[in-house]
Amino acid sequence: MYGGPRSGLAAVSTALLAMSRRLEVRDVLRTIVVSARELLDAEYAALGVPDDHGGFAQFVVDGISAEQWRRIGPLPRQHGILAAMLHQDGPERLADVRQDPRFEGWPAAHPEMSDFLGLPVRDGEEILGALFLANKKGLRGFTDEDEELLSLLAQHAAIALTNARLYERSRELTIAEERSRLAHELHDAVSQKLFSLRLTAQAAAALVDRDPARAKDELQQVAALAAEAADELRAAVTELRPAALDEDGLVATLRTHVHVLDRAHTAHVTFTCDGVRALPSTQEEALLRVAQEALHNALRHSGADRVEVTLAKSPAGGAVLKVVDSGKGFDPQAVRSAGRHLGLVSMRDRADGVGGRLTVHSEPGKGTTIEMEVPGG
């Protein structure tokens, strides 16, 4: 049995139960990495989920601060030791990774690593990710027992990760069904409002000459019905999120979304893009969702008459999204003390989940700026 600082069957059982209880893919990845680092008493641990473009769709680390991770820069590519982990069957144990001929160096802010243990996370023939640890605490380095334990963790990690993916796909189907239902309901509701609006307007026109007072009442009803129809249309824009991200990419999807919002609301909504090309799919989705949430807040809650959305290339090679409104603003410190407000926690979670950073600048009476930066890929 393993003899580390959290030795024994209880420690292993706790880690495996923690994995199985998570339903979100991001939470499963985090639990796997934290459990592996603690159980094997390593200084650093990481798990990369590959994409189809030579990079990583997700890359979760433990043992590195958020600031240090930000300074390291863009997510790593599939090369060197990382690539080997994705194309071999068993574990790879090295006394000093820096002496391996496949080693290609670190980014400037990357911590120094020596002893190394890694292996692929597999579901049958499918490679789900690469799990590795570095810098075993103490003098002896990683052992045969460490290899066995990491292999056990990887087997259970594959099960937990597969289950989480199935859960998210199921949830996406449910959301798609709900969108379809909502679309039908909105169509019916708006159609009814517009039909009533037309009949009332016709009645008002017929009464103008012979009964001006009643005509005035009918025109007031026209105004009320028009306002209700406008509210229904705004609800449609907010709830039915654009599904064209995979086909059209982030820039085109954002531009279309902003254009529709500009037509549906009295506030002037604009979008500009400067030099941003394709990003990893998970980052594009996170940026889109944060933009949607920020726009929803600005248009529904801030009272802004102008909202500006910009997407620009960051100095590090990633992208920076900004949503700036001219609304009433708020006190970010008070919001932080209150816990949850305006979806800020959700937006920060999305940014953190793709290795990005979210900042909020606001002040009562002076509008709000939501800024999200992602490292690229």
Side-chain angles (χ1 to χ4, degrees):
M1 181 53 61
Y2 177 69
R6 291 185 60 195
S7 61
L9 183 60
V12 177
S13 177
T14 298
L16 299 182
L17 283 173
M19 288 183 205
S20 65
R21 286 172 178 160
R22 303 293 181 178
L23 292 177
E24 302 283 348
V25 169
R26 188 170 68 241
D27 291 340
V28 170
L29 296 174
R30 168 64 59 188
T31 304
I32 293 168
V33 170
V34 171
S35 299
R37 188 175 78 85
E38 291 183 352
L39 283 171
L40 274 71
D41 200 22
E43 190 173 359
Y44 304 108
L47 175 56
V49 176
D51 59 22
D52 298 325
H53 310 290
F56 287 91
Q58 292 172 296
F59 201 87
V60 179
V61 299
D62 191 44
I64 295 176
S65 69
E67 174 60 25
Q68 189 174 13
W69 181 240
R70 187 187 67 79
R71 287 190 284 110
I72 288 173
L75 295 177
R77 304 291 295 170
Q78 294 177 28
H79 60 79
I81 299 293
L82 292 182
M85 293 298 95
L86 296 170
H87 297 98
Q88 65 184 47
D89 293 328
E92 179 83 52
R93 179 158 42 120
L94 302 170
D96 190 339
V97 67
R98 297 166 296 186
Q99 304 303 316
D100 190 277
R102 296 165 296 180
F103 178 67
E104 299 178 2
W106 318 111
H110 198 284
E112 200 65 26
M113 297 179 180
S114 55
D115 47 321
F116 173 94
L117 176 62
L119 82 173
V121 177
R122 290 175 173 269
D123 178 24
E125 295 300 314
E126 182 185 3
I127 298 292
L128 303 180
L131 174 63
F132 62 90
L133 301 100
N135 294 15
K136 173 85 172 181
K137 295 176 183 177
L139 301 176
R140 62 178 182 158
F142 293 106
T143 64
D144 292 339
E145 290 80 5
D146 290 331
E147 281 193 20
E148 293 177 7
L149 181 56
L150 193 61
S151 296
L152 174 65
L153 286 175
Q155 293 172 34
H156 286 270
I159 296 171
L161 190 53
T162 299
N163 287 341
R165 284 179 167 181
L166 290 173
Y167 167 77
E168 290 198 349
R169 287 171 188 165
S170 172
R171 190 175 60 177
E172 287 171 4
L173 289 174
T174 301
I175 291 172
E177 292 170 359
E178 180 64 15
R179 284 175 176 167
S180 178
R181 181 195 64 78
L182 183 60
H184 286 297
E185 289 185 0
L186 287 168
H187 176 268
D188 292 344
V190 173
S191 295
Q192 291 172 9
K193 289 287 191 309
L194 293 177
F195 181 70
S196 298
L197 184 63
R198 187 176 65 181
L199 291 180
T200 307
Q202 289 172 347
L207 290 168
V208 165
D209 293 329
R210 57 189 177 87
D211 195 342
R214 282 188 59 193
K216 183 177 180 181
D217 291 339
E218 294 293 334
L219 287 173
Q220 289 175 342
Q221 183 65 16
V222 166
L225 288 170
E228 290 175 10
D231 286 340
E232 297 285 0
L233 289 172
R234 291 192 183 104
V237 170
T238 300
E239 298 298 332
L240 298 178
R241 310 298 191 190
L245 187 60
D246 289 339
E247 295 178 5
D248 300 334
L250 176 63
V251 174
T253 303
L254 259 180
R255 181 177 287 115
T256 300
H257 188 60
V258 167
H259 178 66
V260 172
L261 289 175
D262 184 52
R263 296 184 64 180
H265 290 266
T266 56
H268 186 40
V269 190
T270 62
F271 173 71
T272 56
C273 179
D274 182 18
V276 175
R277 298 186 181 275
L279 296 163
S281 59
T282 52
Q283 293 188 10
E284 290 202 342
E285 181 179 358
L287 285 165
L288 177 62
R289 297 307 182 192
V290 167
Q292 289 174 328
E293 184 70 41
L295 282 163
H296 173 78
N297 291 340
L299 295 170
R300 280 295 182 94
H301 305 298
S302 77
D305 61 6
R306 186 181 71 260
V307 185
E308 298 172 355
V309 181
T310 60
L311 189 65
K313 187 175 180 181
S314 71
V320 178
L321 167 76
K322 287 186 181 180
V323 181
V324 183
D325 70 61
S326 62
K328 60 187 178 182
F330 59 93
D331 181 358
Q333 189 61 43
V335 168
R336 200 172 294 117
S337 301
R340 301 182 69 89
H341 183 68
L342 298 180
L344 294 180
V345 173
S346 172
M347 287 191 277
R348 285 199 170 93
D349 284 347
R350 289 192 181 278
D352 291 343
V354 294
R357 176 174 56 89
L358 186 102
T359 55
V360 179
H361 306 281
S362 189
E363 188 176 340
K366 296 189 177 180
T368 299
T369 297
I370 303 292
E371 178 176 331
M372 176 176 169
E373 181 177 356
V374 296

